[in-house]
Amino acid sequence: MQIWWRKCTARDSEKLYTSAKAIVYSKKATHVIALIHRGRNPAICISKGVKLSHPGSTIHPVPSSFGREPGTTTPAFSIVVPTRNRSQLLERTLAGLRSQTFLAFEVVVIDDGSNEATRALYPVIWENLDQRFVLLSHGEADALGIGPSAARNVGIAAATGPIIAFCDDDDIWTNDNHLAMMMAAFSDNPSLDMYIANQIAVTTEGVVTKDSWFPGLEAIVQRRSRSLEHGYMVTRDDLASCGAFAQLNILTIKKNLIDSMGGFWTRTPYEGDRDFFWRAVDLADQIFFNPTIIAQHNIPDQTKHDNVSTRVTEVERWILSTFVSQHISLSVRHHTIKNLCNHYEGDILRHLSLYFSNHNEHDLGYQYARRALATRLSWKWSAYTLMLACRGLLRRLAR
Amino acid sequence: MPLQCHRRIIGVIACKLPGARFAVNRFRGIELSALGSPAHPEIELVGRRSGANAAPAISIVVPTRNRAPLLARALESMRSQSFSSFEVLVVDDGSTAATKAEYAAIWQNLDDRFVLHYVSAAPANGIGPSVSRNLGIAAARAPIIAFCDDDDSWTSNAHLAMMAEVFSTLPPLSVYIANQIAVEANGAIVKRSWLPGLEKAVGARQRSHQHGYLVTCEDLAAGGGFAQLNILAVSKALIESQGGFWTRTTYEEDRDFFWRAVDHAAAIFFNPTIVAQHNVPDQTRKENLSSNFSQVERWIISALVSQHIALSVNHRTIKRLCTVYEGDILRHLSLHFSKNEEHALGFQYACRAIAARASWKWSAYTFLLAFRNLMRKSAQ
C-alpha cells in the first residue's frame, strides 16, 4: 500500500469531498487537513489543502455523511463499543471519544439486550452526539445478552472503517490525541497491522498501581531508536517475551486481519480479550507500540469481588482460564506465544493446586500439581509435587 | 378479544437456575391456533381453563430450534403415552418465522397439555439448549421433570406410566433412568441397551420394584455410561439444589447435568425397559463437515466438562470416572497431534494425560515421545 499527497484547489474540492473515504481535520476541527481517497489498487490518496470553515458546515456534505447514511465516505477508524445496562458509564465513554482531536472516525455502539430503562436513556445521550456515533441495538429489551465477545463481532461486521479500535463502556480514553497519533502511525506505515498504546492502572481508591501497562516492553524498546515520533515497531517475540497483553481499549487492529482470524472466540464468557489479542499478534506482521499513556484501567474492587463470587465460580473461572490458554496455544503458529500460554496456564494450575491444598482437599491439590507440571516443567515444582505425593501417602497410612 | 391477549408476557421467572432471569412469552398451545384469527373467544376459554387446572404429575421439557418435523414426531410420541397427567413445555429458541408458522399446524393435533414457550428476544444464534432447558424447568409446574430433545422420540407408550408409578411408590426417589437402543442412520442397531454395564451389575439383584432396581452412584460410575436426557427424569427439587444445566459450554452439557444430578440424588431408580431410540449421528458425514480444528476444540471442551464435573461432585467414584474419561480424551489428543506430526503438542498432551490419569504403560509411551523429540532436535 502507498500513500500520495496532492494539492487541490477550491474548485474541485466539492467533488473530492463526496468521493473521499476519510477526512483528516485540524486539531480544533476548524479546517480539513486532508481527504483520504482509496483507489482501485490498495493505495491511499490524501488531498491536502482543502479549507472548511467549521465542522458541520452545510457547504460541504461531509460531516453529515458519517454514520449510516448512504454515502461514499468511509471513516479512517471504527471504534467498537459493546454495552449492556450501563448508560451512565457509556455516556462518559462516548463523551471521551467525542473530544478526540482527530475526527474521521465512527463509533459503533452495540447494545447487547439492555433493559427498557437503559434504552430509553439513549436518545438523551445521543442528543449531544453527532452522526459519527452509531447505535446498534441487538436483541429485544432485557434479553439474555450474547456477551461482549459476540457483541464485538457484531460491531466489527457493521464497521465501515478499515481499522478497528475498541473501547469498552467502562473505559475512557484520557488522551485526546490518541486517534491523531494512531492516524500518524498508520499513514506512515500503511501495512501496519496492529497498534498498541499504553495505559495506567488505578484502584477504586484512586491509587495508581501501575504507571505503565507495559514496563517490560518499554525496557526492551528503550534501547532502540524510535521509528516514528510517537513510538516503536515491535515484534511478536518482544511482546511474548515480556508477556505484554494489551487490553482492548488500547488496542487497534486492521479489519482484514480480524476477518482472517475469525473475530472473537465466543465459547467462553471470560478472557475473550486475551484469546483475541494473542491470536491477532500471531497473524500480525507489523506491530507499532506507542508508550504514551492514553487510557486508565480501573481495577475492580477485589474485596467486593470476593464477597460476591462464591467458591465455585472462582474455581470455575480458573479452569475456564486454563481452557482459554489451551485454545490460544492450539490456535497460534508461533512457538513463543504457545510457550507463553503454557507458562500462564501452568501458573493458574499451580494456583489451583495451592488453593485446594489450603482448603484441605489434598487429592485435588496433588492432582492439580501434576497438571501444572505437565504444562510447565520446573525442578522446584517437581519437588513440591513429590512432597505432596509423599504427604498423601503418609496421610493414607495414618488412617 | 384483541390479539395482544393471546400473547402474554408472564413476567420474570424468579428462579435460581442460570439464565432464567428473563421473561418468556407464554403461549397456550390452544391459543396459538387462534392466533391468525382474533375472534375465537371459546378457544381462548379452553386454554384459560386448563391454566387453572391442578399441577400435572410430570413436566416434560423439550428445547427446539428450527426442527418442526422432528418436533412433531417427538410430541406425537408424548401424546400417545398411556399416562395422561403431564404437561409438555416446548421451549422455542429463536426459530425462524417459517418454522414458527408450522407450529400452528402441529398444535392443531395437540391438546392443551402441550404449551409452547418462545424465548423472548433470543439472539440470532439462539441462547442454546442448556439455557432453554433451564427456562423450561423454571416454568414447569410438576414435581418431576422429564426431558426429550426435539430429535428424539419415545418408542414405548408406557414410559410415563412406569415413571409415575415408580415415583409414587418410592417417595424419596429423585432420579429415574430408563433405557434405549442406539440405531445408526442405515437402520442398524449398534446398541441393544444404552447402559449394558449397569444392566449387568444389577441383573443378579432382587428387583426393588416390578419395573426395576434402586441403584447407587457407585453402580452408575462402575457402569461407565451416562443416561441421555430423553431417558432421564429428575425431581424438580433436586434440579434446583444442583443448579440446573451448566451454561458455560454448548457441548456435553447433558453429561455434566447427569453426573451432578446423580451426585445429589437421594435415591436413583433404573428401569432396564427400552423406552426410546437414540439416532446415532452419521459419523462420516459429521467429520467431513467439521474441520479438523473444531474436532480438537470439541475434545478440549470435553476435557473441560470432565474437570467441571469432577470439581462439582462429592462422590469419589464419579470424580474418578471423570478424570479417567478426561485422561482418555487427553491421550486421544496426544495421539492425534503425533499423527499430524505436531510432536511438541503430542508430548505435551501425553504429559497432561499422565497428570489426569497415571499408568505405567502410558508413562513409558510418554518417555518414548520425549526421547524421540530429543532425537529429532539433535538431528536438526
Side-chain angles (χ1 to χ4, degrees):
Chain A
M1 207 188 270
Q2 46 173 300
I3 290 192
W4 47 278
W5 300 77
R6 76 168 175 198
K7 287 221 170 214
C8 64
T9 59
R11 244 183 66 197
D12 55 20
S13 72
E14 188 81 36
K15 209 172 117 201
L16 280 169
Y17 261 114
T18 42
S19 63
K21 297 282 182 194
I23 302 96
V24 185
Y25 290 90
S26 67
K27 195 174 174 187
K28 287 194 173 153
T30 49
H31 64 278
V32 170
I33 298 171
L35 294 173
I36 298 175
H37 299 266
R38 273 196 149 193
R40 243 169 275 127
N41 53 344
I44 294 180
C45 158
I46 297 179
S47 315
K48 246 179 146 180
V50 185
K51 290 252 191 264
L52 183 74
S53 51
H54 61 274
S57 148
T58 47
I59 305 162
H60 300 293
V62 181
S64 65
S65 61
F66 278 117
R68 277 291 170 274
E69 281 180 22
T72 48
T73 316
T74 311
F77 301 110
S78 294
I79 304 159
V80 173
V81 183
T83 187
R84 182 177 165 86
N85 293 339
R86 275 173 165 180
S87 53
Q88 268 189 328
L89 289 171
L90 178 71
E91 185 173 14
R92 198 187 57 172
T93 302
L94 296 182
L97 297 180
R98 206 181 44 154
S99 58
Q100 285 290 316
T101 55
F102 180 83
L103 298 178
F105 64 87
E106 67 169 359
V107 176
V108 184
V109 177
I110 310 100
D111 175 85
D112 182 13
S114 289
N115 55 33
E116 297 276 7
T118 305
R119 287 191 171 179
L121 287 172
Y122 288 153
V124 183
I125 297 175
W126 254 259
E127 257 170 33
N128 301 320
L129 301 172
D130 53 74
Q131 291 180 54
R132 295 172 302 172
F133 293 79
V134 178
L135 175 68
L136 301 177
S137 290
H138 197 273
E140 286 172 35
D142 216 13
L144 183 74
I146 52 176
S149 291
R152 284 188 201 105
N153 284 342
V154 171
I156 292 163
T160 56
I163 300 167
I164 310 280
F166 301 95
C167 189
D168 282 358
D169 59 357
D170 56 345
D171 288 319
I172 343 167
W173 288 347
T174 51
N175 187 323
D176 288 345
N177 284 320
H178 178 36
L179 287 179
M181 289 188 283
M182 209 146 79
M183 189 62 214
F186 276 99
S187 356
D188 180 63
N189 179 3
S191 56
L192 197 65
D193 293 312
M194 182 187 272
Y195 176 97
I196 299 169
N198 204 352
Q199 65 180 0
I200 54 171
V202 181
T203 64
T204 40
E205 289 92 52
V207 182
V208 178
T209 54
K210 263 179 138 180
D211 57 3
S212 164
W213 195 251
F214 304 108
L217 191 61
E218 277 192 83
I220 292 174
V221 296
Q222 227 155 39
R223 280 169 262 131
R224 298 186 199 160
S225 62
R226 292 198 170 215
S227 49
L228 243 185
E229 183 199 345
H230 297 304
Y232 312 83
M233 292 301 292
V234 291
T235 64
R236 73 176 61 83
D237 291 354
D238 292 337
L239 294 169
S241 67
C242 55
F245 153 57
Q247 287 196 318
L248 289 171
N249 53 325
I250 52 171
L251 184 68
T252 305
I253 304 184
K254 278 263 174 68
K255 193 179 175 193
N256 57 17
L257 182 86
I258 299 179
D259 290 339
S260 71
M261 62 181 267
F264 283 84
W265 191 47
T266 52
R267 283 272 190 225
T268 61
Y270 302 115
E271 301 204 328
D273 49 352
R274 186 163 65 91
D275 183 85
F276 179 79
F277 176 72
W278 289 113
R279 288 191 301 117
V281 167
D282 186 55
L283 293 179
D285 288 320
Q286 306 262 347
I287 305 168
F288 188 86
F289 170 55
N290 178 352
T292 313
I293 303 288
I294 61 101
Q296 171 176 329
H297 172 63
N298 300 313
I299 298 168
D301 193 342
Q302 275 305 322
T303 53
K304 213 171 126 194
H305 205 71
D306 287 339
N307 290 343
V308 175
S309 69
T310 64
R311 181 211 109 110
V312 178
T313 61
E314 199 178 359
V315 169
E316 183 183 292
R317 204 168 309 179
W318 280 330
I319 65 169
L320 286 172
S321 169
T322 66
F323 178 56
V324 170
S325 293
Q326 276 188 62
H327 180 254
I328 303 171
S329 102
L330 291 175
S331 308
V332 298
R333 297 166 301 165
H334 290 93
H335 277 278
T336 43
I337 302 175
K338 278 181 200 280
N339 288 344
L340 179 80
C341 289
N342 289 339
H343 202 85
Y344 187 76
E345 191 188 348
D347 277 348
I348 299 281
L349 290 168
R350 288 178 183 193
H351 223 77
L352 273 163
S353 167
L354 295 171
Y355 176 89
F356 288 128
S357 294
N358 275 341
H359 287 78
N360 285 329
E361 295 182 73
H362 299 291
D363 284 354
L364 280 176
Y366 175 50
Q367 192 198 108
Y368 276 82
R370 292 199 317 261
R371 284 175 192 267
L373 212 53
T375 45
R376 182 183 170 188
L377 199 65
S378 87
W379 288 114
K380 211 168 140 191
W381 192 260
S382 305
Y384 175 75
T385 311
L386 204 58
M387 187 193 80
L388 286 186
C390 293
R391 267 205 208 153
L393 263 180
L394 286 175
R395 227 176 255 120
R396 227 174 257 181
L397 289 175
R399 251 190 262 145
Chain B
M1 274 290 180
L3 192 60
Q4 280 89 330
C5 277
H6 299 288
R7 184 174 181 168
R8 276 174 296 142
I9 294 176
I10 54 167
V12 179
I13 294 166
C15 181
K16 282 170 257 158
L17 303 183
R21 288 172 293 107
F22 55 98
V24 191
N25 288 344
R26 170 174 263 201
F27 284 81
R28 282 268 146 214
I30 202 75
E31 287 173 7
L32 184 74
S33 60
L35 259 185
S37 45
H40 279 300
E42 71 277 37
I43 294 176
E44 214 215 333
L45 253 176
V46 175
R48 207 182 269 159
R49 217 169 23 223
S50 79
N53 274 353
I58 299 169
S59 292
I60 305 157
V61 174
V62 185
T64 187
R65 182 178 160 83
N66 291 337
R67 277 171 165 179
L70 288 171
L71 176 70
R73 187 187 66 176
L75 296 181
E76 188 52 39
S77 80
M78 290 165 203
R79 200 173 66 107
S80 54
Q81 289 290 317
S82 58
F83 182 80
S84 62
S85 173
F86 64 86
E87 65 170 356
V88 178
L89 301 109
V90 177
V91 184
D92 177 89
D93 180 13
S95 291
T96 60
T99 305
K100 284 181 181 167
E102 286 179 64
Y103 289 158
I106 296 174
W107 254 262
Q108 254 165 21
N109 304 323
L110 300 171
D111 52 75
D112 59 351
R113 291 171 302 174
F114 293 80
V115 184
L116 179 61
H117 294 251
Y118 285 119
V119 173
S120 73
N125 45 358
I127 54 173
S130 294
V131 183
S132 297
R133 288 192 201 100
N134 282 347
L135 277 170
I137 294 162
R141 292 182 300 149
I144 301 163
I145 313 280
F147 300 94
C148 187
D149 282 359
D150 57 359
D151 57 343
D152 289 317
S153 64
W154 293 333
T155 51
S156 163
N157 293 346
H159 176 41
L160 290 183
M162 290 189 282
M163 186 192 291
E165 197 185 329
V166 171
F167 267 102
S168 60
T169 44
L170 301 166
L173 197 66
S174 43
V175 174
Y176 174 91
I177 300 164
N179 207 351
Q180 66 179 2
I181 54 168
V183 179
E184 271 184 351
N186 57 15
I189 297 177
V190 281
K191 262 180 138 180
R192 297 206 163 275
S193 163
W194 190 250
L195 300 162
L198 184 64
E199 223 180 327
K200 213 170 150 192
V202 297
R205 291 187 207 162
Q206 191 89 55
R207 290 203 168 211
S208 350
H209 184 273
Q210 60 156 319
H211 294 311
Y213 313 85
L214 278 170
V215 293
T216 61
C217 272
E218 284 69 28
D219 294 332
L220 288 167
F226 73 95
Q228 286 196 319
L229 290 170
N230 50 326
I231 54 170
L232 187 69
V234 183
S235 78
K236 192 174 177 184
L238 175 71
I239 297 179
E240 273 163 4
S241 78
Q242 58 86 283
F245 284 85
W246 193 42
T247 53
R248 294 288 186 222
T249 65
T250 46
Y251 184 62
E252 296 209 333
E253 76 285 351
D254 49 351
R255 183 162 68 90
D256 184 86
F257 178 80
F258 175 77
W259 288 114
R260 288 189 300 111
V262 297
D263 183 59
H264 277 243
I268 306 160
F269 190 85
F270 172 54
N271 179 351
T273 314
I274 304 286
V275 301
Q277 172 178 326
H278 171 62
N279 301 313
V280 180
D282 193 342
Q283 277 304 324
T284 53
R285 222 177 99 207
K286 211 163 138 189
E287 268 161 36
N288 289 344
L289 282 175
S290 65
S291 68
N292 175 40
F293 179 69
S294 68
Q295 176 61 59
V296 169
E297 187 180 302
R298 232 179 332 223
W299 277 328
I300 63 170
I301 292 176
S302 178
L304 173 75
V305 169
S306 295
Q307 275 189 65
H308 181 252
I309 303 170
L311 291 174
S312 309
V313 298
N314 292 318
H315 284 84
R316 263 164 191 286
T317 43
I318 301 176
K319 277 181 201 280
R320 203 169 305 132
L321 180 79
C322 289
T323 34
V324 167
Y325 185 80
E326 191 190 346
D328 280 347
I329 297 280
L330 292 170
R331 288 179 183 192
H332 226 76
L333 273 163
S334 167
L335 295 172
H336 171 86
F337 288 128
S338 293
K339 214 173 87 189
N340 289 298
E341 311 247 309
E342 297 182 73
H343 299 290
L345 279 176
F347 174 61
Q348 192 197 107
Y349 275 81
C351 291
R352 284 172 193 265
I354 292 188
R357 180 186 173 187
S359 89
W360 289 115
K361 210 170 139 192
W362 191 259
S363 304
Y365 173 76
T366 310
F367 244 119
L368 178 93
L369 285 186
F371 185 69
R372 266 204 210 152
N373 280 1
L374 262 182
M375 297 291 285
R376 229 174 253 121
K377 241 179 230 176
S378 56
Q380 268 166 14

